[in-house]
Amino acid sequence: SGRLSSKEERVHSAMMNADMDAVEAENQVELEEKTRLINQVLELQHTLEDLSARVDAVKEENLKLKSENQVLGQYIENLMSASSVFQTTDTKSKRK
């Protein structure tokens, strides 16, 4: 009674194969999902690196422009103090 007939063995074997195929298909789906997620993480890392580099470049440009603005501001101040037109205006406003 413990022995399976050849038909029962074939059915049992087919069921085991179907179960193994289902597990294999599930593993394949999991592997594809993991691969997709890994690729997405890598893409996001590259995007973050690009954005970080861009932020650094913008900061550098901002510092450069601030420095240039200071130089130009000082230059304009010097021109204004050397100009009689602005000195006259300053004198008139001081008298009021």
Side-chain angles (χ1 to χ4, degrees), residues 40-80:
Q40 194 173 6
V41 166
L42 290 172
E43 187 178 329
L44 289 170
Q45 282 179 337
H46 290 135
T47 301
L48 181 59
E49 287 169 3
D50 292 345
L51 288 172
S52 183
R54 178 75 179 122
V55 166
D56 289 343
V58 168
K59 280 182 181 176
E60 196 174 309
E61 181 69 13
N62 187 35
L63 287 173
K64 184 178 150 193
L65 290 172
K66 275 184 180 179
S67 175
E68 289 175 5
N69 282 344
Q70 284 178 334
V71 170
L72 287 172
Q74 188 63 51
Y75 177 72
I76 290 169
E77 225 176 86
N78 291 343
L79 284 177
M80 288 172 60

Side-chain angles (χ1 to χ4, degrees), residues 11-65:
V11 168
H12 181 71
S13 177
M15 287 173 56
M16 285 182 58
N17 285 341
D19 286 347
M20 288 172 58
D21 288 347
V23 168
E24 193 175 310
E26 193 175 310
N27 287 343
Q28 184 64 31
V29 167
E30 283 181 20
L31 182 62
E32 287 171 4
E33 179 67 8
K34 283 180 185 177
T35 302
R36 189 186 68 75
L37 289 172
I38 288 169
N39 288 335
Q40 194 173 6
V41 166
L42 290 172
E43 187 178 329
L44 289 170
Q45 282 179 337
H46 290 135
T47 301
L48 181 59
E49 287 169 3
D50 292 345
L51 288 172
S52 183
R54 178 75 179 122
V55 166
D56 289 343
V58 168
K59 280 182 181 176
E60 196 174 309
E61 181 69 13
N62 187 35
L63 287 173
K64 184 178 150 193
L65 290 172

